[in-house]
Amino acid sequence: MSDRVVVVTGAFGALGRTVVQRLSEAGNGVVAVDHAPTAPQGLAVARTISGVDLTDAAQAQQVLEAVAGEFGGIDALVNIAGGFVWETVDGNSNGSWERMHALNLMTALNASRAALPWLVQGGSGRIVNIGAKAALAAATGMGAYAASKAGVHRLTEALADEYKGRVTVNAVLPSIIDTPANRKDMPDADWSTWVRADELAVVIGFLVSEDASGITGALIPVTGRV
């Protein structure tokens, strides 16, 4: 069992809820943070914090400071907050590129910066980011999303090197996650090949744990059967 304080962003979504459950069952004190105005029912956590815009560095700082003040520190941060868009590169608007950059990269950067002082103090701090298999080789329509997730990969590596010996920083790289939303968007796909949220949660749970002290700077594919 563990008494570690773990902050999970994007905690109200399909993957977030599964990760929260896994971490809570392992005995962690989980603080669930999300942009949504209300938390889903039945979320077994130490605290839920809704309505948080992590693209705003000041909000991220305020929320993480409040968590550290209430719980006496922060031991781990799981950056799940993010978004997805399918859009080809042609066209005249940069809106999707800017939105993906803000939702995927800047949320992870802002939350990590805000949490790092406490992660360092604890002596065995952990950051786990959500990258993407699609960012390794972008296909048609994946440019904006893949570029933002590639930024998450580079952020992961840079932080791991900068905080070597103090905080481990890793990322998991899923393929298509088997969620109700993805099944609705791709009704004709073979869902059995997709990576399940619980499969991702197991890996994230390990990377958050004290047993993962020797792993940092890793970009770990968790792609199911794709």
Side-chain angles (χ1 to χ4, degrees), residues 14-23 25 172 174 176-179 183 194-206 222 224-225:
L15 176 59
R17 293 195 304 272
T18 304
V19 170
V20 162
Q21 179 180 346
R22 177 84 185 186
L23 294 174
E25 288 173 350
V172 295
I176 303 171
I177 304 174
D178 188 3
T179 66
R183 288 190 177 202
W194 296 353
V195 63
R196 301 191 309 270
D198 63 290
E199 292 174 320
L200 277 166
V202 168
V203 180
I204 292 168
F206 172 70
V222 188
R225 291 135 295 278

Side-chain angles (χ1 to χ4, degrees), residues 55-197:
T55 67
D56 182 340
Q59 283 195 43
Q61 186 69 38
Q62 183 180 26
V63 167
L64 272 296
E65 283 184 356
V67 170
E70 179 176 351
F71 293 94
I74 299 170
D75 298 293
L77 170 68
V78 182
N79 286 310
I80 298 177
F84 174 80
V85 66
W86 191 98
E87 182 179 281
T88 54
V89 177
D90 57 349
N92 298 317
S93 173
N94 289 337
S96 292
W97 291 76
E98 293 166 355
R99 181 168 175 265
M100 290 296 96
H101 178 82
L103 288 178
N104 291 324
L105 178 56
M106 296 310 296
T107 56
L109 174 62
N110 290 339
S112 296
R113 276 179 170 164
L116 276 164
W118 290 280
L119 296 174
V120 169
Q121 286 179 12
S124 58
R126 306 279 187 266
I127 295 175
V128 182
N129 295 321
I130 307 298
K133 177 178 179 289
L136 300 178
T140 297
M142 301 292 281
Y145 173 75
S148 68
K149 287 296 190 178
V152 173
H153 297 179
R154 302 293 83 81
L155 171 64
T156 300
E157 293 165 339
L159 283 176
D161 198 56
E162 291 172 18
Y163 285 84
K164 191 178 297 180
R166 296 179 290 167
V167 178
T168 68
V169 188
N170 298 289
V172 295
L173 281 54
S175 54
I176 303 171
I177 304 174
D178 188 3
T179 66
N182 282 338
R183 288 190 177 202
K184 181 179 179 181
D185 289 344
M186 293 173 274
D188 298 326
D190 181 1
W191 304 333
S192 68
T193 66
W194 296 353
V195 63
R196 301 191 309 270

